[in-house]
Amino acid sequence: MTDPTSSPAQVAQPVATQSTEAQAPAIAGAAGDALRRGVELRSAGNLEGAIAAYREAARIDPTHPAPFFNIGNVLFDQGQWGEARQAFSEAAKRQPGFAGAWLQVARCEVKLGQLREARESFASALRLEPALFSAWLEAGNLCRTMGIAQQALIS
């Protein structure tokens, strides 16, 4: 299983948070086949084909977070922060305990300059998984950028 708290470029098939039990069951059947095809296409550098395959997986199994998370990763890597944020939000909606999805939402919001929203999204990720060390680091840097380094991130 991959670590969805890695940089988006490193994540191919995220389905769970780094270390908690908030794991989605493996995606199976035709949706799983489409997801795996997307991973292969992405690895081969065919990003448009990968997104199409992930969208097919999402169409077949619209309840599973993995296709949406993978779409978000490709879009993030392409600098399409708004669309990536939407995809990561869809993954979080489908698996509410998916801290890695909230982490990626926060990263998109930072890129979009939505700093207050990013602070809330980092807090959501950290409430779900307090051991997401990269989230603590990035949230701390964000608070420093916002000039509120002395304030607690999570109340």
Side-chain angles (χ1 to χ4, degrees):
M1 184 163 302
T2 60
D3 174 2
T5 62
S6 303
S7 72
Q10 297 171 331
V11 180
Q13 284 186 314
V15 190
T17 61
Q18 185 178 13
S19 63
T20 67
E21 286 85 58
Q23 296 181 3
I27 192 166
D33 292 343
L35 186 71
R36 283 184 289 282
R37 189 169 53 258
V39 170
E40 291 169 6
L41 289 165
R42 182 176 181 202
S43 294
N46 182 349
L47 302 182
E48 288 181 27
I51 288 176
Y54 296 145
R55 286 190 174 138
E56 179 184 350
R59 181 187 56 76
I60 295 167
D61 184 353
T63 65
H64 204 286
F68 298 95
F69 193 87
N70 286 14
I71 289 167
N73 283 331
V74 174
L75 294 170
F76 188 96
D77 290 346
Q78 293 178 323
Q80 297 179 38
W81 320 122
E83 291 179 42
R85 181 191 181 283
Q86 180 61 36
F88 291 130
S89 294
E90 291 296 324
K93 190 184 307 180
R94 282 155 177 80
Q95 186 180 349
F98 190 176
W102 284 110
L103 176 61
Q104 296 302 83
V105 167
R107 288 173 172 164
C108 291
E109 290 166 341
V110 168
K111 295 287 190 180
L112 291 166
Q114 300 170 345
L115 304 185
R116 291 183 197 280
E117 293 87 348
R119 184 172 181 244
E120 288 302 315
S121 296
F122 279 126
S124 294
L126 289 166
R127 279 187 204 100
L128 291 167
E129 189 165 340
L132 278 173
F133 300 113
S134 60
W136 283 111
L137 176 65
E138 291 176 55
N141 287 337
L142 174 63
C143 288
R144 188 183 67 217
T145 297
M146 293 174 72
I148 58 171
Q150 300 303 317
Q151 294 181 13
L153 179 64
I154 299 176
S155 53

